[in-house]
């Protein structure tokens, strides 16, 4: 649950509501589902290093999409 406090702090700083109920904390899949609600989260490899890179790639895509939507 490493990402949750970081993401919560970002949403708080941006004065945005969290996209999840406090009892339904998740991982970076929350960003994916917020950015791409109709697209299933891609399957991840089973090796730790491959999983880490896949997670970073999905997070980058999701954050890029969210930034694009909220660009001024």
């Amino acid at each position: 649950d490493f990402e949750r406090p970081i993401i919560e702090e970002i949403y708080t700083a941006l004065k945005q509501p969290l996209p999840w109920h406090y009892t339904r904390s998740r991982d970076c899949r929350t960003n994916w589902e917020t950015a791409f609600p109709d697209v299933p989260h891609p399957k991840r490899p089973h090796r730790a290093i491959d999983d880490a890179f896949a997670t970073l790639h999905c997070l980058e895509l999701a954050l890029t999409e969210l930034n694009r939507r909220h660009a001024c």
Side-chain angles (χ1 to χ4, degrees), residues 5-61:
I6 297 168
I7 294 169
E8 286 179 358
E9 185 65 29
I10 292 169
Y11 274 90
T12 300
L14 295 173
K15 297 181 174 43
Q16 296 293 315
L18 293 175
W20 62 84
H21 189 270
Y22 74 94
T23 61
R24 307 234 347 133
S25 175
R26 296 184 57 197
D27 57 17
C28 65
R29 288 174 295 174
T30 301
N31 287 300
W32 181 267
E33 290 172 1
T34 302
F36 308 108
D38 299 323
V39 179
H41 191 270
K43 296 202 182 271
R44 298 182 185 176
H46 292 289
R47 286 186 20 189
I49 191 69
D50 294 332
D51 179 55
F53 281 117
T55 297
L56 286 172
H57 178 69
C58 289
L59 184 58
E60 177 185 27
L61 292 173

